[in-house]
Amino acid sequence: ALLGVRRSVEAPAAGTTRDAIVARVAVAPALEVDLADIAGLESAGADEISRAMQRRAAETLASADVVVRCTPAGLVRGELPTGVRGALVEVATMVDLGGEVPGDAVATSAAAGQGLAAVKAAIAAPIRGDRALRRAQLAAVLPRHDEALARAEEALAGVIGLARQPRLADAELVASLLRAALDALGEIAGPVHPDDILGLVFSRFCIGK
């Protein structure tokens, strides 16, 4: 439901999802995450396949930045494995079938499309609050990339401030700040030239005399 396409096999029987199924999903403007759908957390069976499913689920949870615990409305939440360090988002599923929703959970129904935007916002919130994800696991972006991102953020903040004025009287300053933001981001992703932007504009719009 979050992806908008059918990605996983669905069945009432437990054990249908065996591996971690990963897909990229946008949870906010300019913010995409790798969403991993794992096997249900339960006691591993006697067979090796069941034990491997639970090991894979625990490994995925341990490496996740955000953990979304989905519990059908009205049922008791399952226990999380040890080693889970990511921010926890509580989600009550299948609310269209009734059942009590805890006060700290996002009420959702995949069948009815209810609560999907709220789930995305709940996932994005702890990521946005991590100040450009300044953690040891992502040290590759520091310090040069982090400095460039800070300069881009400062320039864009100036653009936002000017754009909120009743009348945009400083168009040249806005353009200069946008250029500064592009240059800062270009230090990470590669430079963006004005000719590239003009080429993109003219490729998408028909402009006549």
Side-chain angles (χ1 to χ4, degrees), residues 170-184:
D170 299 314
E172 293 85 358
L173 182 55
V174 170
S176 177
L177 289 171
L178 287 173
R179 182 71 258 174
L182 281 174
D183 289 342

Side-chain angles (χ1 to χ4, degrees), residues 143-190:
R144 182 174 63 86
H145 291 175
D146 195 41
E147 181 184 352
L149 289 171
R151 283 189 277 111
E153 182 181 20
E154 182 180 0
L156 291 174
V159 171
I160 293 173
L162 292 171
R164 286 175 175 170
Q165 295 179 359
R167 294 184 61 185
L168 185 60
D170 299 314
E172 293 85 358
L173 182 55
V174 170
S176 177
L177 289 171
L178 287 173
R179 182 71 258 174
L182 281 174
D183 289 342
L185 295 175
E187 296 178 17
I188 302 173

Side-chain angles (χ1 to χ4, degrees), residues 27 66 68 87-91 106 115-127:
V27 295
V66 179
V68 182
L88 182 60
V89 174
E90 298 286 4
V91 172
V106 181
L116 301 181
V119 171
K120 290 182 178 181
I123 295 173
I127 300 174

